Amino acid sequence: MISQVFILSSKGDHLIYKDFRGEAGKDAVNKFYEMVTALTGGQPPVVMKHKELHFVHIRQGGLYWVATTKADASPFTIIEFLNRLTALVKDYCGCLSEKSVQMNFALIYELLDEVVDFGYIQTTSTDILKNFIQTEAVSSKPFSLFDLSNVGLFGADTQQNKVAPSAAATRPIVSSQGEQGGKNEIFVDVIERMSVVIGANGVLMKADIEGEIRVKCYMPSCSEMRIGLNEEFSIGKSQLSVSLPPPSLLSGYGAAVRVDECSFHQAVRLDEFDTYRILKVCPSQGEQTVMQYQLCDDLPTAPPFRLFPSIERDSGGRLLMYLKLRCDLPPKSAAINVSITIPVPKGSLRLSQELSSPDQSAELQPKNKAVHWEIPRFPGGAQLSALFKLEVSGLSAASLQEVGPVSLNFELPKYTSTGLQIRFLRLSPIQPGPSQRWVRYVTHSDSYTIRI
Amino acid sequence: MKWRKKYFSACFYLFLSLVPLQENRQFGSKMTDSKYFTTTKKGEIFELKAELNSDKKEKKKEAVKKVIASMTVGKDVSALFPDVVNCMQTDNLELKKLVYLYLMNYAKSQPDMAIMAVNTFVKDCEDPNPLIRALAVRTMGCIRVDKITEYLCEPLRKCLKDEDPYVRKTAAVCVAKLHDINAQLVEDQGFLDTLKDLISDSNPMVVANAVAALSEIAESHPNSNLLDLNPQSINKLLTALNECTEWGQIFILDCLANYTPRDDRESQSICERVTPRLSHANSAVVLSAVKVLMKFMEMLPKDLDYYGTLLKKLAPPLVTLLSAEPELQYVALRNINLIVQKRPEILKHEMKVFFVKYNDPIYVKLEKLDIMIRLASQANIAQVLAELKEYATEVDVDFVRKAVRAIGRCAIKVEQSAERCVSTLLDLIQTKVNYVVQEAIVVIKDIFRKYPNKYESVIATLCENLDSLDEPEARAAMIWIVGEYAERIDNADELLESFLEGFHDESTQVQLQLLTAIVKLFLKKPTETQELVQQVLSLATQDSDNPDLRDRGYIYWRLLSTDPVAAKEVVLAEKPLISEETDLIEPTLLEELICHIGTLASVYHKPPSAFVEGSRGVMHKRLPARTGSGEGTECPDVGNAAGGSAPEAAPSIIPSQGDLLGDLLNLDLPAVLCNILIMSKLNSSLLSPQLGGDIGGSPAMGAGFGAAPTVMPASLNAPVGGGLGDLFDLGGGVGMPMGAYIPPKTVWLPAMKAKGLEISGTFARRAGVIQMELVLTNKAMSVMTDFAIQFNRNSFGLAPAGPLQVLTPLGPNQTIEVSLPLSTVGPVMKMDPLNNLQVAVKNNIDVFYFSCQYPISMLFVEDGKMERQVFLATWKDIPNDNESQFQIQDCHLNSEAASNKLQGSNIFTIAKRTVEGQDMLYMSIKLSNGIWVLAELKVQAGNPNYTISLKCRAPEVSQCVFQCYEAVLKN
């Protein structure tokens, strides 16, 4: 049972405060801010306790979203609820920011009133809520498709009329219907997160992918959407019994795509899934995750990056690190925003570097005992190298052990590591007027570690 | 969600169809709400007042918004109450909602004004628009003003039967609201019955809210049986489960978890219907389902196929939780930690998912590490060790420390890996990273304990790092190692001497360890170290004001001067094994926590009663016992309430050996052993009056109790030193010759410590009733009244069966004798010593605390006579390890008289055998909690020394039982 819900800015300003049960005072808000800012890194921030009151909070959009309770409530419920609440606010207000929350406080109060009653969560579905919500959203930033200044930076091979900027999906769902004349759009994201551990000997020790298909729908009249996945899509461990029969009806072209486990949104109907790999969704307005999947330890392709390090001490008492990094993506793909962190021995003083191309950069961060190497764009099949010379005070044989493991952060746009693709997106009934359907693919590094 | 932000920065949607782009019109220059947050100017209230009374609807709305904005940031706008309420009568729903929002906030502070709004509420409850009806009933419930509630009843009754489900579900919650304000009214008005009817409503949302409301109301009436869970209603709930929203499913699952199925078949069928919830996308639904399954699984027979299937089904959802946001991951890991302790088999193949990621927050990393160790087994140890070694070179200090500690725990848990662990630890010591070295030494000490005489070759390496140790725990560990292996370390005396220089600056832990280590060294190499041992003994006894240290010093001193052979036996005694698992949660607590999976209790790892106020949540939940459906194959209850036979009940009384060992490990084991051994081995003359005097007379003694009672010898633990007399004083005592033994009264609470109230007393068992006989003396100048008594939790659940009967005020210098009957159904917690009882007595002046020890004989029940055959079988059945032997000296009774005397205290002689002039008496005792103690008493004519052997499934009680024998026979 939720006792209060409040939203604070990162500076502790009260943006929204709602008391549902009248069992705790408003001073809880300041107490929370005091406690959360006093937390040290090691303390779990998830559940905090002050006298009889328990705080559960998340941070989204730079804001604190907090719920309090006095009972032995479920933190899972509360965290899930807060996540949904942020999603709702995002759906209704367009984006999450201090400004948008401030501008739409009346709407958010109205939402909260419908979503929670006496601390019991009622519903978080936009479909149901749209019957009750009266207040119109106010958008913080006028949206224009002409605001395409960032198009073409990396997407040289794409044409403008085939690309919408990310900002297209950050507008309120409701406003699009009213006076805006209804802009019928559907955005579909296939997002994968990759965790990889590569051992010092180059052996792949662990490789997991977590993926999801997210739909953001701006169509008020869409009753059914059919999402076609790869025909050769299978679920279950390869040697174990496959929970679905192999799709024999499907013709055998295209690479097989396999995941270990799959879960679907409540609203997804799977009657055509077994035979045709089609998800039937009745999308609510707003954003929702229709499918989540996981793949463990059995990537269909090689991991995207390999590192060939050689680390030694030179005669002048410096530490030499020669790193060759190879990108094993297909030549048409590329990784962007690659950032590599190499832990170095404590007492590292200065860094001199030789990098293989001018757009790369590297710096020593003595506070974190690490060297950061940034590569803005890294095409598939390419190999880059860097030579770092470190002056380390008190360099010893044991210092070499302090180097590593190397961790990488990157994005792989237009690429899914499982190979999952969306064949088609059909809407029914046929939408009156022009409708637009957008799909994007992206793989992120979650935790990509290479040991040395 | 770092990645999310980034991904919006750089990725683009690919256009799927080739519909031409359309220009999107800019949003108009609409007014934004942020202007409401501009700072208050003087006279703003007046301005708002004027705007609120404006004729224009838009202007009114804007004004109310401004008011609410001020309210949010904490400004007081209650002065506008009448003006805002005036805006209430409107057909604009948006405006109405805003006004209601204001009302909910301020009605409490302006109850009289709130009445003004009542008419509109009542009218709104009749509105043709269901949104308005629901809104009105919802808001009325939130106005926590008593006067309003009377007006609420009629509209609420109508709304509960409304045709629109939206109104009904709002009304259902409103009943809970009303109950919170005025519970009696809800019962009188019959709302509870209406609410019960709503459980069968056609709309699942209404059902869910009704269940939630009833569950909450039921919590404040524990015995009301409001929810009336029976197979039929459970069936209804299970049906609603499939149709509900995710949040409704949580209410229903949580409600199901409170049900106890009648048998394993029902349990299985509920499990079957709940398992589909495990694949729900909402983790709260998953966890609530896990809770139900974990609870009901308890009732399934383990050999059932379905049991295995269920185990397999539980793993994937738990694994999935680990791919959620870090906040959820953390909560999930805390729960998995419990589940792994209860049923390790569920996740035994999933070790890999608990490997840490470099970007996990530190609190997630630490939890994962903990679970990794719990899951470590011979099958996966190589993999685990390789990971741990990687972790030990990471940057974060806390994490590295825990990783090093984890390596040690692996060595202790999986014997085959010990060697590899030790060599890994040595590698880590070579890095010379200070905190790594210190942690490694602490764990190596434990490895030495577990595998004696195996890895001592590494001692030399450890000694090299002696100087770098600056943490007490590491220093204490190193000193322990030096002392323990003094005979193999040539310069052990030098090493220990070097520590001795700064003796007084060390922490207590190190001081105690140093004292013991030097005594060990002396016993091993007496010739060279005499000076050293004298030095440390005098430092400990004369120059220290720490009672623990001083007492241990005295004991060693006397031991060494009286009987060096005994000292050797005591100090260098073989050490008991250390337990494999550490940090295990105590079983009864674990069971309770399993019943609270997915709640805050499972995150804090504390029972809800520890952090939830008032009546809510005080019910202790327990796992159900397994009962067969067909024939009545009874299975032992997990708890102690069922009062089964001895073997089952034992574990709950003496909760976990692990705990005890854990305690002892932190201290020095030989010293504790020595305390116990002194009691049993040396005769009472050895504990000379001087020792008694010393200890009783030392003023710091009392203060020492709280600090570390475990180190104190059992008898010294009595509050006033009078305890010594209890056990060792041969004369005195008012025991009746043939009746139950009653120890003489001793002073439990001296007047000095209790503002003039002196309490002395004893315990007796009369006609099957345990009584605490108290003498209260008022040595103060004023009258004492309002006496009350309470016990702390204790080993046998003793609790007052009634209030303390001191009816008349106690005048100065008056004395009153009171007899307080006791029951044995109170809360149980193992005490040390076992028969220790902590008591709080209150009077009009203050609350006073004291502790006393009761003779365990008063727990011996009247039906403790075992059948011969049963006795014989039980004696054989109890392992020999549980047998303890004691000597009773200077007892001049013959076997017949002894038998009679013992019978008076419910110690029953079952058989007697005479072998070569020696009488062997076989006796049985049953304790109030069902523990049986079997005894064999050897009496030889003409020899005043008896030998007694005690066998019991809970050997911890033997010492106390022996004390009773001695006390009974000698009185």
Side-chain angles (χ1 to χ4, degrees):
Chain A
M1 281 161 288
I2 295 170
S3 188
Q4 302 156 306
V5 169
F6 46 89
I7 305 177
L8 296 185
S9 76
S10 54
K11 297 191 291 295
D13 303 329
H14 304 193
L15 301 181
I16 296 286
Y17 168 83
K18 175 96 187 146
D19 184 355
F20 289 105
R21 297 176 63 91
E23 52 190 13
K26 201 173 174 180
D27 49 334
V29 184
N30 290 330
K31 187 69 211 171
F32 165 79
Y33 190 69
E34 230 170 78
M35 285 169 78
V36 81
T37 43
L39 276 182
T40 61
Q43 285 167 292
V46 187
V47 182
M48 294 188 297
K49 178 168 173 285
H50 174 64
K51 291 189 186 140
E52 311 267 83
L53 199 61
H54 308 272
F55 299 98
V56 180
H57 83 279
I58 61 168
R59 283 203 73 167
Q60 289 251 330
L63 307 172
Y64 293 103
W65 303 72
V66 194
T68 67
T69 178
K70 278 200 152 182
D72 183 22
S74 155
F76 291 94
T77 313
I78 298 180
I79 295 174
E80 286 277 1
F81 162 72
L82 291 173
N83 279 327
R84 291 309 162 82
L85 181 66
T86 57
L88 274 176
V89 171
K90 198 169 149 207
D91 282 346
Y92 274 91
C93 307
C95 62
L96 282 185
S97 68
E98 187 175 338
K99 205 171 161 205
S100 69
V101 169
Q102 248 177 18
M103 285 192 303
N104 290 295
F105 74 93
L107 171 64
I108 295 172
Y109 275 125
E110 197 184 354
L111 273 173
L112 274 173
D113 248 338
E114 294 296 343
V115 167
V116 184
D117 193 5
F118 199 49
Y120 308 146
I121 301 164
Q122 300 295 304
T123 179
T124 46
S125 141
T126 47
D127 275 346
I128 300 177
L129 285 171
K130 71 180 173 201
N131 301 322
F132 313 131
I133 300 299
Q134 310 291 326
T135 317
E136 273 269 336
V138 187
S139 183
S140 57
K141 177 175 70 184
F143 164 73
S144 159
L145 262 191
F146 284 123
D147 184 21
L148 294 175
S149 53
N150 55 347
V151 171
L153 257 180
F154 318 111
D157 54 338
T158 57
Q159 284 131 34
Q160 287 216 343
N161 65 345
K162 288 203 176 177
V163 173
S166 312
T170 62
R171 60 194 162 101
I173 48 167
V174 183
S175 304
S176 63
Q177 72 190 136
E179 69 222 57
Q180 291 299 312
K183 181 152 179 66
N184 289 331
E185 283 184 306
I186 269 193
F187 295 84
V188 177
D189 288 338
V190 181
I191 302 159
E192 295 191 346
R193 287 181 288 162
M194 185 184 249
S195 329
V196 169
V197 179
I198 299 175
N201 50 3
V203 173
L204 187 62
M205 296 171 71
K206 179 180 150 166
D208 294 349
I209 293 168
E210 292 153 9
E212 60 185 27
I213 300 179
R214 268 198 299 203
V215 172
K216 183 150 186 179
C217 174
Y218 286 101
M219 301 203 179
S221 57
C222 176
S223 64
E224 188 182 78
M225 174 169 69
R226 286 150 47 96
I227 306 175
L229 305 182
N230 308 46
E231 290 172 332
E232 304 245 319
F233 179 81
S234 65
I235 301 173
K237 299 256 183 205
S238 36
Q239 72 278 26
L240 297 172
S241 68
V242 181
S243 56
L244 292 165
S248 51
L249 285 171
L250 301 172
S251 49
Y253 53 85
V257 175
R258 188 188 67 76
V259 299
D260 289 341
E261 266 169 41
C262 222
S263 64
F264 301 95
H265 189 274
Q266 264 190 154
V268 176
R269 275 180 300 127
L270 297 171
D271 41 333
E272 287 185 49
F273 186 71
D274 284 359
T275 38
Y276 301 110
R277 296 299 183 236
I278 292 172
L279 303 174
K280 287 207 276 189
V281 199
C282 311
S284 314
Q285 278 186 30
E287 193 171 319
Q288 56 218 294
T289 301
V290 290
M291 172 174 155
Q292 284 171 302
Y293 54 92
Q294 282 163 350
L295 176 61
C296 294
D297 280 339
D298 192 16
L299 293 190
T301 52
F305 293 100
R306 288 247 159 205
L307 184 71
F308 305 93
S310 80
I311 292 165
E312 58 196 44
R313 280 194 287 173
D314 75 352
S315 49
R318 284 185 301 181
L319 186 68
L320 294 186
M321 300 193 291
Y322 183 65
L323 306 177
K324 261 194 296 182
L325 188 63
R326 193 178 75 207
C327 179
D328 287 337
L329 289 172
K332 274 188 178 171
S333 306
I336 57 170
N337 297 342
V338 183
S339 110
I340 300 129
T341 306
I342 310 131
V344 293
K346 64 166 185 287
S348 299
L349 301 170
R350 256 177 301 281
L351 171 75
S352 66
Q353 46 182 290
E354 288 168 31
L355 302 172
S356 57
S357 73
D359 57 336
Q360 303 171 38
S361 64
E363 62 168 339
L364 172 69
Q365 297 184 337
K367 218 169 77 192
N368 305 331
K369 293 196 288 175
V371 169
H372 280 279
W373 177 19
E374 304 267 350
I375 305 165
R377 185 180 151 84
F378 199 163
Q383 179 164 305
L384 299 176
S385 61
L387 175 63
F388 297 116
K389 291 181 189 163
L390 272 171
E391 277 177 48
V392 183
S393 68
L395 187 70
S396 67
S399 306
L400 290 180
Q401 289 189 12
E402 289 184 61
V403 179
V406 174
S407 53
L408 280 81
N409 270 310
F410 53 83
E411 286 170 54
L412 311 176
K414 293 180 277 172
Y415 181 81
T416 52
S417 19
T418 52
L420 184 80
Q421 301 281 324
I422 292 186
R423 275 187 297 148
F424 58 80
L425 203 63
R426 282 183 202 135
L427 305 173
S428 61
I430 305 293
Q431 294 293 308
S435 63
Q436 296 180 346
R437 289 158 280 172
W438 306 93
V439 174
R440 68 177 162 180
Y441 303 98
V442 65
T443 299
H444 293 269
S445 58
D446 182 12
S447 163
Y448 197 100
T449 313
I450 303 173
R451 291 177 179 164
I452 293 182
Chain B
M1 307 273 0
K2 222 187 305 165
W3 60 270
R4 218 176 259 169
K5 231 185 294 160
K6 220 184 222 172
Y7 114 85
F8 282 127
S9 70
C11 303
F12 301 92
Y13 288 105
L14 300 178
F15 198 14
L16 215 76
S17 64
L18 288 170
V19 180
L21 270 181
Q22 283 196 321
E23 184 193 341
N24 193 8
R25 265 193 294 151
Q26 298 203 344
F27 285 117
S29 54
K30 228 170 114 184
M31 283 206 293
T32 58
D33 285 4
S34 61
K35 66 177 182 298
Y36 304 120
F37 286 91
T38 47
T39 46
T40 342
K41 279 171 239 125
K42 247 187 187 172
E44 196 194 18
I45 296 277
F46 291 104
E47 264 173 49
L48 283 173
K49 221 179 178 74
E51 284 176 41
L52 285 169
N53 291 316
S54 152
D55 300 333
K56 288 189 192 126
K57 212 183 270 172
E58 271 309 308
K59 201 156 193 182
K60 263 190 187 175
K61 199 158 80 186
E62 292 302 314
V64 179
K65 274 194 185 176
K66 279 185 203 165
V67 171
I68 289 169
S70 306
M71 190 175 89
T72 303
V73 294
K75 284 179 208 155
D76 184 14
V77 284
S78 57
L80 294 167
F81 199 94
D83 307 284
V84 178
V85 171
N86 272 339
C87 303
M88 193 171 162
Q89 294 222 28
T90 169
D91 46 3
N92 183 315
L93 199 52
E94 194 184 345
L95 179 57
K96 202 180 244 327
K97 279 188 167 183
L98 289 168
V99 174
Y100 279 5
L101 194 65
Y102 176 90
L103 267 177
M104 281 187 252
N105 219 0
Y106 282 113
K108 182 94 184 163
S109 57
Q110 313 245 339
D112 296 325
M113 303 274 239
I115 298 291
M116 287 166 47
V118 160
N119 272 335
T120 319
F121 279 128
V122 175
K123 211 178 101 216
D124 280 356
C125 286
E126 310 262 334
D127 199 279
N129 182 347
L131 290 190
I132 292 184
R133 292 203 297 275
L135 183 64
V137 80
R138 185 169 72 206
T139 312
M140 266 180 108
C142 291
I143 296 179
R144 305 173 60 82
V145 173
D146 251 338
K147 285 183 197 157
I148 295 251
T149 53
E150 302 162 26
Y151 299 95
L152 178 57
C153 291
E154 274 323 299
L156 178 58
R157 197 186 316 283
K158 269 184 213 148
C159 288
L160 279 167
K161 303 232 157 93
D162 201 284
E163 54 180 23
D164 192 295
Y166 180 67
V167 181
R168 287 203 302 276
K169 71 121 189 162
T170 311
V173 178
C174 192
V175 176
K177 291 178 187 169
L178 192 57
H179 186 270
D180 197 40
I181 306 168
N182 191 343
Q184 196 55 46
L185 186 70
V186 170
E187 280 170 49
D188 295 346
Q189 296 278 331
F191 285 139
L192 292 182
D193 292 322
T194 326
L195 205 51
K196 276 192 212 166
D197 294 341
L198 287 183
I199 291 189
S200 322
D201 199 278
S202 57
N203 184 299
M205 201 125 149
V206 180
V207 179
N209 274 357
V211 169
L214 277 173
S215 302
E216 190 183 342
I217 295 173
E219 262 179 48
S220 51
H221 302 266
N223 303 319
S224 60
N225 197 22
L226 260 183
L227 270 165
D228 190 27
L229 294 177
N230 54 46
Q232 289 75 39
S233 63
I234 290 292
N235 201 26
K236 264 187 234 163
L237 290 180
L238 285 167
T239 314
L241 186 62
N242 294 328
E243 297 159 358
C244 263
T245 68
E246 46 196 330
W247 311 108
Q249 293 183 10
I250 298 170
F251 296 141
I252 293 182
L253 286 169
D254 287 347
C255 177
L256 276 178
N258 290 327
Y259 176 64
T260 306
R262 285 165 312 172
D263 53 40
D264 51 354
R265 261 178 234 156
E266 191 186 3
S267 183
Q268 177 174 347
S269 82
I270 295 177
C271 286
E272 277 166 358
R273 293 177 69 177
V274 168
T275 30
R277 299 297 129 210
L278 287 176
S279 53
H280 202 284
N282 185 327
S283 66
V285 178
V286 175
L287 257 289
S288 290
V290 169
K291 170 166 61 186
V292 174
L293 294 175
M294 283 294 285
K295 189 176 170 189
F296 289 7
M297 244 173 126
E298 203 66 27
M299 297 186 66
L300 299 177
K302 287 211 160 109
D303 47 2
L304 197 71
D305 285 344
Y306 182 71
Y307 179 83
T309 323
L310 202 53
L311 278 183
K312 279 201 200 92
K313 280 189 178 158
L314 278 169
L318 294 175
V319 171
T320 308
L321 289 174
L322 294 180
S323 51
E325 297 86 350
E327 293 94 356
L328 274 179
Q329 268 190 53
Y330 172 74
V331 214
L333 286 166
R334 294 290 282 175
N335 278 281
I336 290 174
N337 200 328
L338 295 177
I339 294 172
V340 164
Q341 285 185 53
K342 179 77 188 158
R343 297 194 185 279
E345 61 271 33
I346 294 178
L347 287 165
K348 66 180 173 197
H349 298 303
E350 305 290 346
M351 175 59 95
K352 262 190 166 180
V353 301
F354 298 104
F355 288 176
V356 305
K357 297 179 184 171
Y358 81 91
N359 52 350
D360 281 336
I362 177 70
Y363 53 90
V364 168
K365 284 186 179 173
L366 293 177
E367 286 299 319
K368 281 188 174 174
L369 207 50
D370 210 41
I371 295 171
M372 276 173 70
I373 302 162
R374 293 200 196 286
L375 288 176
S377 66
Q378 204 183 328
N380 55 25
I381 193 75
Q383 215 183 4
V384 173
L385 262 185
E387 281 293 309
L388 291 176
K389 197 174 172 185
E390 288 290 335
Y391 302 163
T393 60
E394 285 214 12
V395 193
D396 191 285
V397 178
D398 284 340
F399 181 57
V400 170
R401 281 173 179 277
K402 191 145 183 180
V404 175
R405 222 160 252 238
I407 297 176
R409 276 167 72 180
C410 284
I412 289 167
K413 194 170 173 192
V414 186
E415 188 167 357
Q416 292 80 356
S417 75
E419 195 158 343
R420 224 172 326 161
C421 293
V422 171
S423 78
T424 308
L425 288 170
L426 283 180
D427 284 351
L428 291 172
I429 289 177
Q430 299 300 353
T431 62
K432 304 274 178 194
V433 180
N434 188 286
Y435 52 86
V436 174
V437 174
Q438 310 215 35
E439 284 299 325
I441 285 180
V442 172
V443 295
I444 285 180
K445 178 203 71 180
D446 289 343
I447 296 178
F448 283 169
R449 280 285 311 278
K450 171 84 179 179
Y451 310 108
N453 304 319
K454 236 176 148 177
Y455 300 110
E456 282 73 9
S457 54
V458 309
I459 291 176
T461 321
L462 303 185
C463 289
E464 284 166 22
N465 293 286
L466 210 59
D467 299 331
S468 63
L469 307 179
D470 52 9
E471 291 164 21
E473 205 182 351
R475 286 172 81 86
M478 193 64 220
I479 292 169
W480 183 87
I481 293 172
V482 175
E484 188 65 20
Y485 298 101
E487 69 273 26
R488 307 185 195 199
I489 304 171
D490 295 332
N491 60 343
D493 48 343
E494 283 169 36
L495 293 176
L496 292 176
E497 201 172 354
S498 69
F499 282 106
L500 208 53
E501 280 159 19
F503 188 76
H504 289 301
D505 302 328
E506 300 282 2
S507 70
T508 313
Q509 191 183 11
V510 179
Q511 289 175 334
L512 286 168
Q513 214 50 265
L514 196 52
L515 171 61
T516 307
I518 291 178
V519 171
K520 281 183 193 163
L521 174 69
F522 171 71
L523 289 167
K524 288 174 180 173
K525 299 179 180 172
T527 46
E528 314 112 77
T529 57
Q530 206 148 9
E531 207 176 305
L532 195 60
V533 80
Q534 264 163 6
Q535 205 183 338
V536 75
L537 286 175
S538 86
L539 277 172
T541 53
Q542 284 158 28
D543 300 344
S544 166
D545 41 12
N546 180 318
D548 291 349
L549 185 63
R550 209 172 38 214
D551 291 347
R552 197 187 288 191
Y554 274 124
I555 285 168
Y556 282 147
W557 200 324
R558 300 241 149 67
L559 209 49
L560 291 173
S561 56
T562 329
D563 189 352
V565 180
K568 206 161 190 168
E569 265 178 68
V570 168
V571 179
L572 303 179
E574 200 165 299
K575 283 162 282 296
L577 283 181
I578 59 175
S579 71
E580 294 181 353
E581 297 277 357
T582 44
D583 310 337
L584 277 184
I585 295 176
E586 201 227 317
T588 42
L589 177 60
L590 180 63
E591 301 220 329
E592 191 177 349
L593 290 179
I594 290 283
C595 296
H596 289 281
I597 277 182
T599 71
L600 288 172
S602 67
V603 179
Y604 295 136
H605 287 187
K606 283 181 195 155
S609 51
F611 59 86
V612 177
E613 67 172 354
S615 57
R616 243 188 249 147
V618 278
M619 278 183 297
H620 285 271
K621 294 189 182 169
R622 313 179 31 166
L623 291 175
R626 193 170 77 73
T627 41
S629 55
E631 72 280 50
T633 40
E634 280 218 7
C635 218
D637 193 334
V638 259
N640 57 339
S645 50
E648 285 95 28
S652 62
I653 311 282
I654 319 291
S656 67
Q657 188 129 21
D659 278 1
L660 182 62
L661 282 173
D663 269 352
L664 295 182
L665 260 180
N666 285 330
L667 304 162
D668 185 57
L669 201 99
V672 177
L673 264 185
C674 121
N675 294 335
I676 299 163
L677 283 171
I678 287 179
M679 297 303 129
S680 56
K681 275 201 166 157
L682 312 180
N683 61 26
S684 53
S685 66
L686 193 128
L687 279 163
S688 55
Q690 193 204 342
L691 176 59
D694 262 341
I695 289 167
S698 91
M701 194 63 198
F705 291 130
T710 21
V711 240
M712 315 284 280
S715 70
L716 302 192
N717 217 356
V720 225
L724 270 179
D726 253 3
L727 284 172
F728 295 101
D729 193 354
L730 308 188
V734 278
M736 293 175 290
M738 283 302 146
Y741 162 69
I742 299 170
K745 289 201 171 82
T746 47
V747 178
W748 284 337
L749 182 69
M752 267 171 60
K753 281 190 177 176
K755 300 184 181 166
L757 175 67
E758 184 185 274
I759 301 180
S760 56
T762 186
F763 292 90
R765 186 180 182 94
R766 298 186 204 278
V769 178
I770 306 167
Q771 286 183 321
M772 187 181 197
E773 303 191 337
L774 294 155
V775 178
L776 309 177
T777 310
N778 182 354
K779 295 193 172 169
M781 302 301 288
S782 57
V783 176
M784 293 176 177
T785 54
D786 303 335
F787 285 93
I789 193 165
Q790 251 182 3
F791 295 175
N792 196 355
R793 292 197 280 174
N794 53 71
S795 314
F796 294 93
L798 284 174
L804 191 62
Q805 300 283 340
V806 186
L807 301 173
T808 49
L810 193 60
N813 278 325
Q814 262 189 330
T815 294
I816 188 170
E817 290 204 30
V818 210
S819 185
L820 178 74
L822 306 183
S823 71
T824 54
V825 293
V828 171
M829 182 175 80
K830 196 197 164 196
M831 298 297 292
D832 188 20
L834 210 58
N835 56 342
N836 196 18
L837 181 66
Q838 295 175 335
V839 183
V841 169
K842 178 192 96 80
N843 62 11
N844 56 334
I845 298 168
D846 206 341
V847 183
F848 311 105
Y849 303 93
F850 62 88
S851 64
C852 53
Q853 287 171 28
Y854 46 89
I856 204 169
S857 59
M858 69 180 200
L859 299 168
F860 297 169
V861 295
E862 279 69 25
D863 63 344
K865 187 158 186 170
M866 226 181 212
E867 289 297 323
R868 277 171 181 241
Q869 295 303 322
V870 182
F871 183 94
L872 218 60
T874 315
W875 183 272
K876 278 186 197 151
D877 195 27
I878 299 177
N880 282 337
D881 293 347
N882 287 10
E883 182 171 348
S884 18
Q885 227 176 49
F886 302 92
Q887 297 279 331
I888 301 174
Q889 295 176 343
D890 283 325
C891 190
H892 299 279
L893 298 167
N894 64 19
S895 61
E896 180 108 351
S899 169
N900 279 342
K901 210 165 178 180
L902 290 167
Q903 177 129 18
S905 290
N906 291 340
I907 302 175
F908 299 97
T909 305
I910 291 167
K912 182 177 159 189
R913 201 151 62 98
T914 310
V915 183
E916 298 169 351
Q918 197 177 28
D919 287 342
M920 320 268 266
L921 299 174
Y922 295 94
M923 312 181 191
S924 73
I925 301 164
K926 188 182 171 192
L927 295 182
S928 56
N929 58 11
I931 294 185
W932 286 92
V933 183
L934 310 185
E936 181 198 55
L937 186 68
K938 285 183 201 156
V939 182
Q940 197 153 24
N943 184 349
N945 295 347
Y946 295 175
T947 307
I948 178 161
S949 302
L950 295 175
K951 258 192 164 186
C952 177
R953 291 215 158 87
E956 290 85 343
V957 302
S958 300
Q959 178 71 25
C960 290
V961 173
F962 157 65
Q963 287 168 6
C964 284
Y965 265 92
E966 196 165 47
V968 172
L969 288 174
K970 289 183 178 177
N971 285 297

